[in-house]
Amino acid sequence: MQQGETTPATRHPSFGEALRFWLKLGFISFGGPTGQIAIMHTELVEKRRWIGEGRFLHALNFCMLLPGPEAQQLATYCGWLLHRTWGGIAAGVLFVLPSALLLWALGFVYVTYGEVRWVAAIFEGLKPAVLAIVVAAVLRIGSKALRNAVMWGIAAAAFVAIYFFGAPFPAIVIAALVLGALGGRFRPSLFPAAQGHGSAPASVIDDSHDSEAHTRPTLARAIRVIGVCLVLWWTPILAAGLFQGWDGTLFKQGIFFSKAAMVTFGGAYAVLPYVAQQAVEVHAWLAPAQMLDGLGLAETTPGPLIMVLQFVGFMGGWNHPGAMTPLLAATLGAAITTWVTFVPCFLWIFLGAPHIEQLRGRPAFNSALAAVTAAVVGVILNLAVWFGGHILFPGGVVAWFSVAIAVAAFAAMQWLRVGIIPVVLGAGAVGLLASLF
């Protein structure tokens, strides 16, 4: 098959088709990075076949090394592969936008009424369904990535390192990268690159295609990307300083959360203690109880868990409005916090992805990638175990309601081939009904 040729089943999606998918993804991306990556793998790789297995894992491994939410950056990377820069922007923005709007509305309800119990009720049904999605994804990715005893060993070592010793994500991935590079040099047969099953249909973009023209890096393109992203990143911060003053809450939030965006390696949980300490004790943007409530709201809504930072920005504006009304100050605080948290993500992808794409097909890099892919399976398994322990055994007691939903959701997807959206919607409805009756 030549580049650009596809079977009818793998026709290149139009920009409108992709746009509708990214919008849908933004509304159903529950479960933190594991659930979000699982949903993307199911939809993009297996169901729609827009991205091949190898290309998807190639992108995922790169995103795991970056600061910021890896699932949102993976969506941006895949959107960029499919429809160039505007495709990446659409995917990355729509991954976050539904969550941002919903969290703003919940923040308003929170400061007005003090509780959002119906959201928690829905999530009681959603959480075990997302766990089932994650487990199914671990099985699928693992069956393709762990192709010999060495790969199984790397996955097990990654799981042990992060689960029992708390090793940071980037350290695990870098260690796997080095091990794979050395193994590929001295024993390449033991480090085969992950790939789909031999009978799997072709994808629109997979390893059988040459690199697309827009994925080839140039110096001029890199300079444009850096210039545009830095202007977009810092213009609102400087505008906030001119508008409210350099000692105003908005400017301080822009500076603080820009710093946080640079150090969020290893997911939201790695940076939240630092953010909570600074936001509560140093800046007094919100109270400790409000910080915990914000984390609960972020876990309850779709989108990356790092969206809790938006709630911090919202509460900081509400509690310190200055000359503005509390709602306007809260809205601007939420907006600037979200902006400086996610604009850097586009910079990392648009600047680095072309160079990562050029490394495809090189034997030494493929061996390193195989080791990283195996390690990623162990990392995802760790998150699935951690997630499952909190959902199925809260406080050391079996939550039979959650167990029943998780088993039913897994069976529906794995054997009855029910789609993710019906499973998510059905589980949420069950959770809400259970709270009523």
Side-chain angles (χ1 to χ4, degrees), residues 148 150-151 154 183 187-192 370:
N148 58 35
V150 172
M151 298 294 103
I154 293 174
R187 296 293 299 274
S189 62
L190 297 180
F191 291 82

Side-chain angles (χ1 to χ4, degrees), residues 261-322:
M262 302 286 290
V263 299
T264 51
F265 293 96
Y269 284 112
V271 77
L272 280 179
Y274 166 71
V275 170
Q277 188 268 335
Q278 293 290 312
V280 173
E281 299 179 10
V282 177
H283 298 288
W285 288 331
L286 72 175
Q290 292 174 330
M291 184 70 200
L292 292 174
D293 290 339
L295 181 59
L297 289 177
E299 288 183 323
T300 304
T301 55
L305 181 59
I306 202 69
M307 289 301 297
V308 67
L309 301 188
Q310 177 184 309
F311 181 82
V312 175
F314 182 96
M315 294 303 303
W318 183 273
N319 292 326
H320 302 279

Side-chain angles (χ1 to χ4, degrees), residues 80-106:
W80 170 75
L81 282 178
L82 287 167
H83 293 106
R84 308 167 69 93
T85 301
W86 283 111
I89 292 173
V93 168
L94 292 177
F95 191 89
V96 172
L97 187 60
S99 175
L101 296 176
L102 181 57
L103 197 56
W104 176 90
L106 293 176

Side-chain angles (χ1 to χ4, degrees), residues 369-425:
L369 178 63
V372 172
T373 302
V376 167
V377 173
V379 169
I380 296 176
L381 177 61
N382 156 74
L383 293 175
V385 171
W386 180 88
F387 195 39
H390 284 73
I391 294 170
L392 304 182
F393 307 99
V397 179
V398 179
W400 292 108
F401 176 73
S402 296
V403 170
I405 293 180
V407 171
F410 182 82
M413 291 184 297
Q414 195 76 358
W415 294 301
L416 301 180
R417 303 302 179 188
V418 177
I420 287 177
I421 291 181
V423 168
V424 169
L425 293 178

Side-chain angles (χ1 to χ4, degrees), residues 199-291:
S199 59
S203 300
V204 172
I205 297 178
D206 58 27
D207 283 331
S208 66
H209 295 77
D210 295 330
S211 295
E212 295 73 17
H214 71 277
T215 67
R216 296 165 191 162
T218 65
L219 178 60
R221 181 188 180 281
I223 293 174
R224 287 197 305 272
V225 167
I226 294 173
V228 170
C229 288
L230 289 180
V231 168
L232 290 174
W233 184 348
W234 287 96
T235 296
I237 302 175
L238 297 176
L242 293 171
F243 168 68
Q244 198 186 35
W246 307 110
D247 289 328
T249 299
L250 290 177
F251 179 74
K252 289 182 177 179
Q253 287 177 334
I255 295 294
F256 174 73
F257 289 110
S258 291
K259 295 177 182 177
M262 302 286 290
V263 299
T264 51
F265 293 96
Y269 284 112
V271 77
L272 280 179
Y274 166 71
V275 170
Q277 188 268 335
Q278 293 290 312
V280 173
E281 299 179 10
V282 177
H283 298 288
W285 288 331
L286 72 175
Q290 292 174 330
M291 184 70 200

Side-chain angles (χ1 to χ4, degrees), residues 42 70 100 103 114 129 141 146 173 178 189 272 284 297 313 345 367 370 430:
T42 299
E70 58 266 34
L103 197 56
I141 297 175
L146 310 182
V173 175
V178 172
S189 62
L272 280 179
L297 289 177
C345 298
S367 296
V430 169

